[in-house]
């Protein structure tokens, strides 16, 4: 069985800055941070534009209110 993101966070703590790039599973990791009272001050995630609304909605519910979208080309 693979490692569950919330287990990693519980073991090592919530980082000040989280860089998430796990090929299609970024939302899963963001959801794991939602389980903790403390959140990373800054978060960088890769957006799959077919699921961008889910990710942005989740980040807003977690208290993030400023976003910067940067293209990779």
């Amino acid at each position: 069985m693979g490692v569950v993101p919330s287990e990693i966070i519980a073991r090592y703590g919530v980082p000040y800055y989280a860089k998430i790039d796990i090929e299609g599973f970024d939302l899963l990791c963001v959801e794991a941070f939602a389980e903790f009272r403390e959140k990373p001050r800054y978060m960088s995630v890769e957006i799959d534009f077919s699921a961008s609304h889910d990710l942005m909605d989740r980040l807003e519910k977690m208290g993030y209110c400023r976003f910067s979208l940067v293209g990779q080309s």
Side-chain angles (χ1 to χ4, degrees), residues 11-66:
R11 181 173 183 169
Y12 296 103
V14 175
Y16 179 77
Y17 171 79
K19 169 72 169 95
I20 304 167
D21 185 359
I22 49 179
E23 302 309 320
F25 294 96
D26 297 55
L27 183 57
L28 178 71
C29 192
V30 169
E31 292 282 348
F33 281 116
E35 297 177 23
F36 295 86
R37 193 178 128 263
E38 184 182 358
K39 308 288 186 273
R41 171 82 180 195
Y42 301 100
M43 209 180 297
S44 174
V45 297
E46 189 174 81
I47 289 184
D48 173 359
F49 283 100
S50 65
S52 62
H53 292 291
D54 294 337
L55 181 58
M56 298 297 282
D57 287 345
R58 190 60 181 130
L59 289 168
E60 283 182 320
K61 288 177 184 168
M62 292 170 61
Y64 295 97
C65 59
R66 294 177 55 192

